[in-house]
Amino acid sequence: MSAIRLFTDLDGRIGLRQFWLGSIALALCLLAVQWGAPRLMDWHSAKMAVAFANAFALFPWAALAAKRATDRGGSSLFGIFLVCTIVLPREVQPLLGYAWAPSLIAISTMAWLVALVDLGLMPGVDRDAPLAEHKGAAKPAR
């Protein structure tokens, strides 16, 4: 699978190795932006560049998680939901106030643990087996 398709396509399946390599590549790109932006720009521009890079990385991470969730035998929406559950509580926290912070951090942490175990550690389903059984509601013809 090409790198473009790996980070942009929500369809397909990837194994553990591709999932971890893709995640590490994204994390290294984000670290490079977070390290390099303050050294190359003024404070405000660097802050905006880091925020843009973080927002831009959401889609590739969702694509990786969707493909990995499909490989695990589930729906691609489960992977996308996990990424949203990890990221969105941190983004909503400043809007809700200090009292909500422990709950939002707990939600994000639990989603990280589920994603780590389910997507990052568990093996995929058999490639030859169908992902889901299709049973039609119609009665068989006589």
PDB file of all heavy atoms in Angstrom, residues 49-90:
ATOM      1  N   ALA A  49       1.314  27.348  13.542  1.00  0.00           N
ATOM      2  CA  ALA A  49       1.813  26.239  12.729  1.00  0.00           C
ATOM      3  C   ALA A  49       1.652  24.905  13.447  1.00  0.00           C
ATOM      4  O   ALA A  49       1.260  23.904  12.837  1.00  0.00           O
ATOM      5  CB  ALA A  49       3.275  26.475  12.366  1.00  0.00           C
ATOM      6  N   VAL A  50       1.923  24.880  14.731  1.00  0.00           N
ATOM      7  CA  VAL A  50       1.765  23.654  15.516  1.00  0.00           C
ATOM      8  C   VAL A  50       0.291  23.273  15.597  1.00  0.00           C
ATOM      9  O   VAL A  50      -0.064  22.094  15.449  1.00  0.00           O
ATOM     10  CB  VAL A  50       2.387  23.818  16.917  1.00  0.00           C
ATOM     11  CG1 VAL A  50       2.007  22.668  17.826  1.00  0.00           C
ATOM     12  CG2 VAL A  50       3.901  23.934  16.804  1.00  0.00           C
ATOM     13  N   ALA A  51      -0.587  24.244  15.809  1.00  0.00           N
ATOM     14  CA  ALA A  51      -2.026  23.959  15.856  1.00  0.00           C
ATOM     15  C   ALA A  51      -2.513  23.411  14.514  1.00  0.00           C
ATOM     16  O   ALA A  51      -3.307  22.468  14.470  1.00  0.00           O
ATOM     17  CB  ALA A  51      -2.798  25.218  16.238  1.00  0.00           C
ATOM     18  N   PHE A  52      -2.038  23.994  13.417  1.00  0.00           N
ATOM     19  CA  PHE A  52      -2.426  23.507  12.095  1.00  0.00           C
ATOM     20  C   PHE A  52      -1.916  22.087  11.879  1.00  0.00           C
ATOM     21  O   PHE A  52      -2.636  21.230  11.359  1.00  0.00           O
ATOM     22  CB  PHE A  52      -1.889  24.432  10.999  1.00  0.00           C
ATOM     23  CG  PHE A  52      -2.199  23.943   9.623  1.00  0.00           C
ATOM     24  CD1 PHE A  52      -3.465  24.089   9.087  1.00  0.00           C
ATOM     25  CD2 PHE A  52      -1.221  23.310   8.867  1.00  0.00           C
ATOM     26  CE1 PHE A  52      -3.754  23.627   7.823  1.00  0.00           C
ATOM     27  CE2 PHE A  52      -1.498  22.831   7.608  1.00  0.00           C
ATOM     28  CZ  PHE A  52      -2.774  22.991   7.076  1.00  0.00           C
ATOM     29  N   ALA A  53      -0.682  21.807  12.262  1.00  0.00           N
ATOM     30  CA  ALA A  53      -0.125  20.465  12.088  1.00  0.00           C
ATOM     31  C   ALA A  53      -0.896  19.437  12.912  1.00  0.00           C
ATOM     32  O   ALA A  53      -1.173  18.333  12.440  1.00  0.00           O
ATOM     33  CB  ALA A  53       1.351  20.453  12.468  1.00  0.00           C
ATOM     34  N   ASN A  54      -1.254  19.802  14.137  1.00  0.00           N
ATOM     35  CA  ASN A  54      -2.045  18.894  14.977  1.00  0.00           C
ATOM     36  C   ASN A  54      -3.409  18.615  14.359  1.00  0.00           C
ATOM     37  O   ASN A  54      -3.870  17.477  14.344  1.00  0.00           O
ATOM     38  CB  ASN A  54      -2.200  19.460  16.381  1.00  0.00           C
ATOM     39  CG  ASN A  54      -0.920  19.398  17.168  1.00  0.00           C
ATOM     40  OD1 ASN A  54      -0.028  18.602  16.870  1.00  0.00           O
ATOM     41  ND2 ASN A  54      -0.811  20.239  18.180  1.00  0.00           N
ATOM     42  N   ALA A  55      -4.060  19.651  13.849  1.00  0.00           N
ATOM     43  CA  ALA A  55      -5.370  19.467  13.220  1.00  0.00           C
ATOM     44  C   ALA A  55      -5.241  18.666  11.926  1.00  0.00           C
ATOM     45  O   ALA A  55      -6.067  17.806  11.628  1.00  0.00           O
ATOM     46  CB  ALA A  55      -6.012  20.823  12.952  1.00  0.00           C
ATOM     47  N   PHE A  56      -4.200  18.932  11.169  1.00  0.00           N
ATOM     48  CA  PHE A  56      -3.980  18.242   9.903  1.00  0.00           C
ATOM     49  C   PHE A  56      -3.707  16.756  10.121  1.00  0.00           C
ATOM     50  O   PHE A  56      -4.063  15.922   9.291  1.00  0.00           O
ATOM     51  CB  PHE A  56      -2.814  18.894   9.152  1.00  0.00           C
ATOM     52  CG  PHE A  56      -2.610  18.350   7.779  1.00  0.00           C
ATOM     53  CD1 PHE A  56      -3.435  18.741   6.738  1.00  0.00           C
ATOM     54  CD2 PHE A  56      -1.600  17.439   7.517  1.00  0.00           C
ATOM     55  CE1 PHE A  56      -3.256  18.240   5.459  1.00  0.00           C
ATOM     56  CE2 PHE A  56      -1.406  16.935   6.251  1.00  0.00           C
ATOM     57  CZ  PHE A  56      -2.241  17.329   5.218  1.00  0.00           C
ATOM     58  N   ALA A  57      -3.082  16.398  11.241  1.00  0.00           N
ATOM     59  CA  ALA A  57      -2.733  15.007  11.524  1.00  0.00           C
ATOM     60  C   ALA A  57      -3.935  14.165  11.933  1.00  0.00           C
ATOM     61  O   ALA A  57      -3.840  12.933  11.948  1.00  0.00           O
ATOM     62  CB  ALA A  57      -1.672  14.949  12.615  1.00  0.00           C
ATOM     63  N   LEU A  58      -5.057  14.792  12.238  1.00  0.00           N
ATOM     64  CA  LEU A  58      -6.232  14.022  12.652  1.00  0.00           C
ATOM     65  C   LEU A  58      -6.726  13.088  11.555  1.00  0.00           C
ATOM     66  O   LEU A  58      -7.076  11.939  11.824  1.00  0.00           O
ATOM     67  CB  LEU A  58      -7.369  14.960  13.069  1.00  0.00           C
ATOM     68  CG  LEU A  58      -7.176  15.681  14.378  1.00  0.00           C
ATOM     69  CD1 LEU A  58      -8.343  16.606  14.642  1.00  0.00           C
ATOM     70  CD2 LEU A  58      -7.006  14.701  15.507  1.00  0.00           C
ATOM     71  N   PHE A  59      -6.768  13.566  10.319  1.00  0.00           N
ATOM     72  CA  PHE A  59      -7.284  12.719   9.251  1.00  0.00           C
ATOM     73  C   PHE A  59      -6.383  11.516   8.976  1.00  0.00           C
ATOM     74  O   PHE A  59      -6.879  10.388   8.874  1.00  0.00           O
ATOM     75  CB  PHE A  59      -7.536  13.515   7.969  1.00  0.00           C
ATOM     76  CG  PHE A  59      -8.236  12.698   6.925  1.00  0.00           C
ATOM     77  CD1 PHE A  59      -9.594  12.494   6.998  1.00  0.00           C
ATOM     78  CD2 PHE A  59      -7.520  12.097   5.907  1.00  0.00           C
ATOM     79  CE1 PHE A  59     -10.244  11.717   6.063  1.00  0.00           C
ATOM     80  CE2 PHE A  59      -8.158  11.318   4.968  1.00  0.00           C
ATOM     81  CZ  PHE A  59      -9.530  11.122   5.046  1.00  0.00           C
ATOM     82  N   PRO A  60      -5.063  11.690   8.863  1.00  0.00           N
ATOM     83  CA  PRO A  60      -4.229  10.493   8.669  1.00  0.00           C
ATOM     84  C   PRO A  60      -4.335   9.484   9.814  1.00  0.00           C
ATOM     85  O   PRO A  60      -4.360   8.277   9.590  1.00  0.00           O
ATOM     86  CB  PRO A  60      -2.810  11.050   8.556  1.00  0.00           C
ATOM     87  CG  PRO A  60      -2.992  12.443   8.098  1.00  0.00           C
ATOM     88  CD  PRO A  60      -4.278  12.910   8.711  1.00  0.00           C
ATOM     89  N   TRP A  61      -4.436   9.984  11.049  1.00  0.00           N
ATOM     90  CA  TRP A  61      -4.588   9.063  12.167  1.00  0.00           C
ATOM     91  C   TRP A  61      -5.940   8.361  12.115  1.00  0.00           C
ATOM     92  O   TRP A  61      -6.046   7.167  12.412  1.00  0.00           O
ATOM     93  CB  TRP A  61      -4.408   9.779  13.504  1.00  0.00           C
ATOM     94  CG  TRP A  61      -3.149   9.356  14.188  1.00  0.00           C
ATOM     95  CD1 TRP A  61      -2.709   8.086  14.375  1.00  0.00           C
ATOM     96  CD2 TRP A  61      -2.173  10.194  14.763  1.00  0.00           C
ATOM     97  NE1 TRP A  61      -1.502   8.088  15.032  1.00  0.00           N
ATOM     98  CE2 TRP A  61      -1.154   9.360  15.285  1.00  0.00           C
ATOM     99  CE3 TRP A  61      -2.047  11.559  14.903  1.00  0.00           C
ATOM    100  CZ2 TRP A  61      -0.036   9.857  15.931  1.00  0.00           C
ATOM    101  CZ3 TRP A  61      -0.934  12.038  15.550  1.00  0.00           C
ATOM    102  CH2 TRP A  61       0.060  11.204  16.054  1.00  0.00           C
ATOM    103  N   ALA A  62      -6.981   9.078  11.712  1.00  0.00           N
ATOM    104  CA  ALA A  62      -8.293   8.450  11.555  1.00  0.00           C
ATOM    105  C   ALA A  62      -8.264   7.410  10.443  1.00  0.00           C
ATOM    106  O   ALA A  62      -8.885   6.349  10.558  1.00  0.00           O
ATOM    107  CB  ALA A  62      -9.355   9.516  11.274  1.00  0.00           C
ATOM    108  N   ALA A  63      -7.547   7.693   9.366  1.00  0.00           N
ATOM    109  CA  ALA A  63      -7.435   6.728   8.267  1.00  0.00           C
ATOM    110  C   ALA A  63      -6.708   5.460   8.733  1.00  0.00           C
ATOM    111  O   ALA A  63      -7.131   4.344   8.414  1.00  0.00           O
ATOM    112  CB  ALA A  63      -6.720   7.361   7.081  1.00  0.00           C
ATOM    113  N   LEU A  64      -5.630   5.628   9.476  1.00  0.00           N
ATOM    114  CA  LEU A  64      -4.913   4.462  10.011  1.00  0.00           C
ATOM    115  C   LEU A  64      -5.808   3.652  10.947  1.00  0.00           C
ATOM    116  O   LEU A  64      -5.866   2.420  10.858  1.00  0.00           O
ATOM    117  CB  LEU A  64      -3.664   4.904  10.763  1.00  0.00           C
ATOM    118  CG  LEU A  64      -2.482   5.393   9.948  1.00  0.00           C
ATOM    119  CD1 LEU A  64      -1.422   5.989  10.871  1.00  0.00           C
ATOM    120  CD2 LEU A  64      -1.898   4.278   9.120  1.00  0.00           C
ATOM    121  N   ALA A  65      -6.502   4.343  11.838  1.00  0.00           N
ATOM    122  CA  ALA A  65      -7.364   3.657  12.803  1.00  0.00           C
ATOM    123  C   ALA A  65      -8.535   2.970  12.115  1.00  0.00           C
ATOM    124  O   ALA A  65      -8.935   1.870  12.509  1.00  0.00           O
ATOM    125  CB  ALA A  65      -7.861   4.652  13.853  1.00  0.00           C
ATOM    126  N   ALA A  66      -9.099   3.592  11.087  1.00  0.00           N
ATOM    127  CA  ALA A  66     -10.226   2.992  10.364  1.00  0.00           C
ATOM    128  C   ALA A  66      -9.786   1.705   9.672  1.00  0.00           C
ATOM    129  O   ALA A  66     -10.486   0.686   9.728  1.00  0.00           O
ATOM    130  CB  ALA A  66     -10.791   3.984   9.354  1.00  0.00           C
ATOM    131  N   LYS A  67      -8.631   1.743   9.026  1.00  0.00           N
ATOM    132  CA  LYS A  67      -8.130   0.550   8.344  1.00  0.00           C
ATOM    133  C   LYS A  67      -7.787  -0.555   9.337  1.00  0.00           C
ATOM    134  O   LYS A  67      -8.061  -1.726   9.101  1.00  0.00           O
ATOM    135  CB  LYS A  67      -6.910   0.902   7.497  1.00  0.00           C
ATOM    136  CG  LYS A  67      -7.243   1.599   6.201  1.00  0.00           C
ATOM    137  CD  LYS A  67      -6.073   1.568   5.289  1.00  0.00           C
ATOM    138  CE  LYS A  67      -5.438   2.834   4.892  1.00  0.00           C
ATOM    139  NZ  LYS A  67      -5.817   4.101   5.300  1.00  0.00           N
ATOM    140  N   ARG A  68      -7.206  -0.177  10.445  1.00  0.00           N
ATOM    141  CA  ARG A  68      -6.835  -1.175  11.458  1.00  0.00           C
ATOM    142  C   ARG A  68      -8.078  -1.779  12.110  1.00  0.00           C
ATOM    143  O   ARG A  68      -8.129  -2.977  12.384  1.00  0.00           O
ATOM    144  CB  ARG A  68      -5.925  -0.534  12.499  1.00  0.00           C
ATOM    145  CG  ARG A  68      -5.447  -1.486  13.546  1.00  0.00           C
ATOM    146  CD  ARG A  68      -4.511  -2.537  12.972  1.00  0.00           C
ATOM    147  NE  ARG A  68      -4.275  -3.521  14.012  1.00  0.00           N
ATOM    148  CZ  ARG A  68      -4.353  -4.825  13.850  1.00  0.00           C
ATOM    149  NH1 ARG A  68      -4.588  -5.333  12.680  1.00  0.00           N
ATOM    150  NH2 ARG A  68      -4.157  -5.635  14.849  1.00  0.00           N
ATOM    151  N   ALA A  69      -9.104  -0.957  12.359  1.00  0.00           N
ATOM    152  CA  ALA A  69     -10.349  -1.468  12.936  1.00  0.00           C
ATOM    153  C   ALA A  69     -11.015  -2.448  11.973  1.00  0.00           C
ATOM    154  O   ALA A  69     -11.569  -3.470  12.401  1.00  0.00           O
ATOM    155  CB  ALA A  69     -11.291  -0.322  13.272  1.00  0.00           C
ATOM    156  N   THR A  70     -10.952  -2.173  10.687  1.00  0.00           N
ATOM    157  CA  THR A  70     -11.489  -3.099   9.697  1.00  0.00           C
ATOM    158  C   THR A  70     -10.705  -4.404   9.714  1.00  0.00           C
ATOM    159  O   THR A  70     -11.291  -5.485   9.621  1.00  0.00           O
ATOM    160  CB  THR A  70     -11.447  -2.467   8.289  1.00  0.00           C
ATOM    161  OG1 THR A  70     -12.190  -1.245   8.313  1.00  0.00           O
ATOM    162  CG2 THR A  70     -12.039  -3.388   7.258  1.00  0.00           C
ATOM    163  N   ASP A  71      -9.393  -4.330   9.845  1.00  0.00           N
ATOM    164  CA  ASP A  71      -8.570  -5.526   9.910  1.00  0.00           C
ATOM    165  C   ASP A  71      -8.882  -6.344  11.154  1.00  0.00           C
ATOM    166  O   ASP A  71      -8.740  -7.558  11.150  1.00  0.00           O
ATOM    167  CB  ASP A  71      -7.086  -5.153   9.889  1.00  0.00           C
ATOM    168  CG  ASP A  71      -6.198  -6.379   9.789  1.00  0.00           C
ATOM    169  OD1 ASP A  71      -6.390  -7.156   8.843  1.00  0.00           O
ATOM    170  OD2 ASP A  71      -5.326  -6.549  10.664  1.00  0.00           O
ATOM    171  N   ARG A  72      -9.303  -5.687  12.206  1.00  0.00           N
ATOM    172  CA  ARG A  72      -9.667  -6.378  13.439  1.00  0.00           C
ATOM    173  C   ARG A  72     -11.053  -7.004  13.371  1.00  0.00           C
ATOM    174  O   ARG A  72     -11.474  -7.681  14.294  1.00  0.00           O
ATOM    175  CB  ARG A  72      -9.632  -5.398  14.614  1.00  0.00           C
ATOM    176  CG  ARG A  72      -8.263  -4.978  15.012  1.00  0.00           C
ATOM    177  CD  ARG A  72      -7.633  -5.882  16.046  1.00  0.00           C
ATOM    178  NE  ARG A  72      -8.515  -6.071  17.178  1.00  0.00           N
ATOM    179  CZ  ARG A  72      -8.929  -7.270  17.586  1.00  0.00           C
ATOM    180  NH1 ARG A  72      -8.550  -8.349  16.996  1.00  0.00           N
ATOM    181  NH2 ARG A  72      -9.748  -7.371  18.622  1.00  0.00           N
ATOM    182  N   GLY A  73     -11.778  -6.761  12.261  1.00  0.00           N
ATOM    183  CA  GLY A  73     -13.093  -7.369  12.101  1.00  0.00           C
ATOM    184  C   GLY A  73     -14.235  -6.452  12.489  1.00  0.00           C
ATOM    185  O   GLY A  73     -15.383  -6.875  12.517  1.00  0.00           O
ATOM    186  N   GLY A  74     -13.937  -5.220  12.787  1.00  0.00           N
ATOM    187  CA  GLY A  74     -14.970  -4.270  13.171  1.00  0.00           C
ATOM    188  C   GLY A  74     -15.258  -3.268  12.078  1.00  0.00           C
ATOM    189  O   GLY A  74     -14.830  -3.411  10.930  1.00  0.00           O
ATOM    190  N   SER A  75     -15.966  -2.248  12.445  1.00  0.00           N
ATOM    191  CA  SER A  75     -16.313  -1.191  11.514  1.00  0.00           C
ATOM    192  C   SER A  75     -15.210  -0.134  11.478  1.00  0.00           C
ATOM    193  O   SER A  75     -14.552   0.130  12.492  1.00  0.00           O
ATOM    194  CB  SER A  75     -17.628  -0.542  11.963  1.00  0.00           C
ATOM    195  OG  SER A  75     -17.886   0.616  11.230  1.00  0.00           O
ATOM    196  N   SER A  76     -15.044   0.473  10.319  1.00  0.00           N
ATOM    197  CA  SER A  76     -14.053   1.544  10.223  1.00  0.00           C
ATOM    198  C   SER A  76     -14.477   2.745  11.072  1.00  0.00           C
ATOM    199  O   SER A  76     -13.629   3.511  11.526  1.00  0.00           O
ATOM    200  CB  SER A  76     -13.852   1.957   8.776  1.00  0.00           C
ATOM    201  OG  SER A  76     -15.056   2.433   8.223  1.00  0.00           O
ATOM    202  N   LEU A  77     -15.769   2.883  11.318  1.00  0.00           N
ATOM    203  CA  LEU A  77     -16.251   3.982  12.168  1.00  0.00           C
ATOM    204  C   LEU A  77     -15.755   3.852  13.604  1.00  0.00           C
ATOM    205  O   LEU A  77     -15.603   4.855  14.292  1.00  0.00           O
ATOM    206  CB  LEU A  77     -17.773   4.052  12.142  1.00  0.00           C
ATOM    207  CG  LEU A  77     -18.384   4.526  10.839  1.00  0.00           C
ATOM    208  CD1 LEU A  77     -19.902   4.457  10.909  1.00  0.00           C
ATOM    209  CD2 LEU A  77     -17.927   5.931  10.509  1.00  0.00           C
ATOM    210  N   PHE A  78     -15.491   2.624  14.042  1.00  0.00           N
ATOM    211  CA  PHE A  78     -14.964   2.430  15.387  1.00  0.00           C
ATOM    212  C   PHE A  78     -13.595   3.084  15.530  1.00  0.00           C
ATOM    213  O   PHE A  78     -13.310   3.757  16.527  1.00  0.00           O
ATOM    214  CB  PHE A  78     -14.884   0.936  15.717  1.00  0.00           C
ATOM    215  CG  PHE A  78     -14.258   0.649  17.050  1.00  0.00           C
ATOM    216  CD1 PHE A  78     -14.910   0.987  18.218  1.00  0.00           C
ATOM    217  CD2 PHE A  78     -13.011   0.056  17.134  1.00  0.00           C
ATOM    218  CE1 PHE A  78     -14.338   0.731  19.455  1.00  0.00           C
ATOM    219  CE2 PHE A  78     -12.433  -0.213  18.360  1.00  0.00           C
ATOM    220  CZ  PHE A  78     -13.094   0.129  19.522  1.00  0.00           C
ATOM    221  N   GLY A  79     -12.738   2.913  14.536  1.00  0.00           N
ATOM    222  CA  GLY A  79     -11.417   3.543  14.570  1.00  0.00           C
ATOM    223  C   GLY A  79     -11.507   5.051  14.544  1.00  0.00           C
ATOM    224  O   GLY A  79     -10.803   5.744  15.276  1.00  0.00           O
ATOM    225  N   ILE A  80     -12.393   5.574  13.694  1.00  0.00           N
ATOM    226  CA  ILE A  80     -12.576   7.023  13.618  1.00  0.00           C
ATOM    227  C   ILE A  80     -13.130   7.547  14.937  1.00  0.00           C
ATOM    228  O   ILE A  80     -12.695   8.590  15.442  1.00  0.00           O
ATOM    229  CB  ILE A  80     -13.491   7.370  12.434  1.00  0.00           C
ATOM    230  CG1 ILE A  80     -12.816   6.969  11.113  1.00  0.00           C
ATOM    231  CG2 ILE A  80     -13.844   8.849  12.438  1.00  0.00           C
ATOM    232  CD1 ILE A  80     -13.727   7.022   9.919  1.00  0.00           C
ATOM    233  N   PHE A  81     -14.074   6.821  15.528  1.00  0.00           N
ATOM    234  CA  PHE A  81     -14.644   7.213  16.816  1.00  0.00           C
ATOM    235  C   PHE A  81     -13.571   7.245  17.904  1.00  0.00           C
ATOM    236  O   PHE A  81     -13.555   8.155  18.740  1.00  0.00           O
ATOM    237  CB  PHE A  81     -15.773   6.244  17.206  1.00  0.00           C
ATOM    238  CG  PHE A  81     -16.347   6.504  18.559  1.00  0.00           C
ATOM    239  CD1 PHE A  81     -17.179   7.587  18.783  1.00  0.00           C
ATOM    240  CD2 PHE A  81     -16.054   5.665  19.622  1.00  0.00           C
ATOM    241  CE1 PHE A  81     -17.693   7.828  20.042  1.00  0.00           C
ATOM    242  CE2 PHE A  81     -16.563   5.896  20.877  1.00  0.00           C
ATOM    243  CZ  PHE A  81     -17.391   6.981  21.088  1.00  0.00           C
ATOM    244  N   LEU A  82     -12.661   6.273  17.897  1.00  0.00           N
ATOM    245  CA  LEU A  82     -11.590   6.267  18.897  1.00  0.00           C
ATOM    246  C   LEU A  82     -10.688   7.486  18.760  1.00  0.00           C
ATOM    247  O   LEU A  82     -10.325   8.112  19.761  1.00  0.00           O
ATOM    248  CB  LEU A  82     -10.757   4.991  18.778  1.00  0.00           C
ATOM    249  CG  LEU A  82     -11.289   3.765  19.485  1.00  0.00           C
ATOM    250  CD1 LEU A  82     -10.399   2.570  19.211  1.00  0.00           C
ATOM    251  CD2 LEU A  82     -11.418   3.996  20.966  1.00  0.00           C
ATOM    252  N   VAL A  83     -10.319   7.827  17.529  1.00  0.00           N
ATOM    253  CA  VAL A  83      -9.472   9.007  17.323  1.00  0.00           C
ATOM    254  C   VAL A  83     -10.194  10.260  17.813  1.00  0.00           C
ATOM    255  O   VAL A  83      -9.603  11.099  18.498  1.00  0.00           O
ATOM    256  CB  VAL A  83      -9.065   9.130  15.843  1.00  0.00           C
ATOM    257  CG1 VAL A  83      -8.393  10.456  15.572  1.00  0.00           C
ATOM    258  CG2 VAL A  83      -8.141   7.989  15.467  1.00  0.00           C
ATOM    259  N   CYS A  84     -11.463  10.391  17.489  1.00  0.00           N
ATOM    260  CA  CYS A  84     -12.233  11.560  17.947  1.00  0.00           C
ATOM    261  C   CYS A  84     -12.337  11.591  19.471  1.00  0.00           C
ATOM    262  O   CYS A  84     -12.242  12.656  20.082  1.00  0.00           O
ATOM    263  CB  CYS A  84     -13.623  11.547  17.336  1.00  0.00           C
ATOM    264  SG  CYS A  84     -13.631  11.864  15.565  1.00  0.00           S
ATOM    265  N   THR A  85     -12.526  10.425  20.088  1.00  0.00           N
ATOM    266  CA  THR A  85     -12.649  10.364  21.542  1.00  0.00           C
ATOM    267  C   THR A  85     -11.326  10.674  22.233  1.00  0.00           C
ATOM    268  O   THR A  85     -11.311  11.181  23.348  1.00  0.00           O
ATOM    269  CB  THR A  85     -13.149   8.973  21.966  1.00  0.00           C
ATOM    270  OG1 THR A  85     -14.324   8.658  21.225  1.00  0.00           O
ATOM    271  CG2 THR A  85     -13.478   8.922  23.428  1.00  0.00           C
ATOM    272  N   ILE A  86     -10.227  10.416  21.579  1.00  0.00           N
ATOM    273  CA  ILE A  86      -8.924  10.746  22.149  1.00  0.00           C
ATOM    274  C   ILE A  86      -8.654  12.238  22.033  1.00  0.00           C
ATOM    275  O   ILE A  86      -8.172  12.878  22.973  1.00  0.00           O
ATOM    276  CB  ILE A  86      -7.809   9.942  21.450  1.00  0.00           C
ATOM    277  CG1 ILE A  86      -7.912   8.465  21.827  1.00  0.00           C
ATOM    278  CG2 ILE A  86      -6.431  10.485  21.791  1.00  0.00           C
ATOM    279  CD1 ILE A  86      -7.064   7.549  20.979  1.00  0.00           C
ATOM    280  N   VAL A  87      -8.988  12.838  20.899  1.00  0.00           N
ATOM    281  CA  VAL A  87      -8.586  14.211  20.603  1.00  0.00           C
ATOM    282  C   VAL A  87      -9.597  15.247  21.094  1.00  0.00           C
ATOM    283  O   VAL A  87      -9.207  16.264  21.683  1.00  0.00           O
ATOM    284  CB  VAL A  87      -8.352  14.370  19.086  1.00  0.00           C
ATOM    285  CG1 VAL A  87      -8.091  15.804  18.727  1.00  0.00           C
ATOM    286  CG2 VAL A  87      -7.195  13.495  18.657  1.00  0.00           C
ATOM    287  N   LEU A  88     -10.866  15.028  20.857  1.00  0.00           N
ATOM    288  CA  LEU A  88     -11.857  16.070  21.127  1.00  0.00           C
ATOM    289  C   LEU A  88     -11.993  16.502  22.586  1.00  0.00           C
ATOM    290  O   LEU A  88     -12.192  17.689  22.837  1.00  0.00           O
ATOM    291  CB  LEU A  88     -13.216  15.653  20.568  1.00  0.00           C
ATOM    292  CG  LEU A  88     -13.301  15.667  19.043  1.00  0.00           C
ATOM    293  CD1 LEU A  88     -14.673  15.219  18.585  1.00  0.00           C
ATOM    294  CD2 LEU A  88     -12.964  17.021  18.476  1.00  0.00           C
ATOM    295  N   PRO A  89     -11.890  15.607  23.579  1.00  0.00           N
ATOM    296  CA  PRO A  89     -11.977  16.108  24.962  1.00  0.00           C
ATOM    297  C   PRO A  89     -10.921  17.158  25.303  1.00  0.00           C
ATOM    298  O   PRO A  89     -11.199  18.116  26.023  1.00  0.00           O
ATOM    299  CB  PRO A  89     -11.794  14.847  25.802  1.00  0.00           C
ATOM    300  CG  PRO A  89     -12.313  13.762  24.945  1.00  0.00           C
ATOM    301  CD  PRO A  89     -11.915  14.149  23.551  1.00  0.00           C
ATOM    302  N   ARG A  90      -9.724  17.015  24.760  1.00  0.00           N
ATOM    303  CA  ARG A  90      -8.676  18.017  25.014  1.00  0.00           C
ATOM    304  C   ARG A  90      -8.995  19.351  24.354  1.00  0.00           C
ATOM    305  O   ARG A  90      -8.638  20.404  24.868  1.00  0.00           O
ATOM    306  CB  ARG A  90      -7.324  17.520  24.489  1.00  0.00           C
ATOM    307  CG  ARG A  90      -6.820  16.299  25.188  1.00  0.00           C
ATOM    308  CD  ARG A  90      -6.280  16.672  26.521  1.00  0.00           C
ATOM    309  NE  ARG A  90      -5.716  15.486  27.157  1.00  0.00           N
ATOM    310  CZ  ARG A  90      -4.970  15.547  28.210  1.00  0.00           C
ATOM    311  NH1 ARG A  90      -4.675  16.710  28.737  1.00  0.00           N
ATOM    312  NH2 ARG A  90      -4.520  14.450  28.759  1.00  0.00           N
TER     313      ARG A  90
END
